[in-house]
Amino acid sequence: MGITDAGEVDGHRPFVVSLMGPGVGDESIFEAEHPDEVDQEALIGFTPTHAVDVIALANEPIDHIATALLTVAIMDVIGGFANAELAQGQRAIVDGLPGMVATTTGTWPWPAVYGSAEFLRAWSKQSGFRLLT
C-alpha cells in the first residue's frame, strides 16, 4: 500500500473487511447499523444500499493509515464514498481537501465526512491522521 514508516510495529496487521446490504450478508445488520443516518441522498446524490466496512484490529498510527489505504484500494475497484466520523478538531483538517463531497453538520454521535478515494488518500497524508475509534 506504499506505507514506508510503520513505526515500531511488526509487519502483521489484522483487519476485518465485511460487505453487507440487500442480497449480501446479513441485511438486518446493515439496517441496524444505519438507522440514524442523515438523508444521504441530499448529501451525496444517492441512498447507499450496501456498505463495506474496513476495520483494523489494532490502534497504532500505522493501523489508521493502513485502514484508510485499504479502504481506498477497495473504492478504486467498486467506487462509492467513504463515510468517516470526525473526532473533535478534525473538521478543520479535512475542510478543503480534494474529493470531499459533504460533511454532516450535526454532532451526534459525531459529525461525519463523505469523500472520494482522492479525499481519503489526501486525508491519510495529513500529519497526525487518525480515524475515529
Side-chain angles (χ1 to χ4, degrees):
M1 287 190 278
I3 300 170
T4 57
D5 182 11
E8 295 188 25
V9 297
D10 64 23
H12 304 282
R13 311 311 298 162
F15 289 91
V16 172
V17 178
S18 67
L19 173 64
M20 57 188 134
V24 181
D26 188 334
E27 291 180 38
S28 63
I29 292 174
F30 177 80
E31 292 169 7
E33 286 191 355
H34 301 90
D36 298 322
E37 290 197 12
V38 298
D39 177 13
Q40 293 177 336
E41 185 164 356
L43 287 171
I44 61 175
F46 65 96
T47 299
T49 59
H50 293 76
V52 178
D53 289 338
V54 179
I55 304 161
L57 299 178
N59 195 23
E60 297 295 326
I62 186 65
D63 300 306
H64 292 262
I65 294 170
T67 299
L69 295 179
L70 180 55
T71 301
V72 164
I74 293 167
M75 292 171 70
D76 285 343
V77 174
I78 66 171
F81 296 109
N83 172 356
E85 295 169 336
L86 299 174
Q88 187 174 17
Q90 285 184 315
R91 175 164 267 149
I93 296 168
V94 301
D95 281 345
L97 288 176
M100 185 168 60
V101 175
T103 58
T104 62
T105 57
T107 58
W108 185 89
W110 297 277
V113 63
Y114 292 83
S116 66
E118 177 187 29
F119 164 78
L120 200 49
R121 276 188 195 94
W123 186 22
S124 69
K125 292 176 183 175
Q126 300 300 306
S127 176
F129 169 75
R130 287 190 74 79
L131 294 166
L132 190 61
T133 57

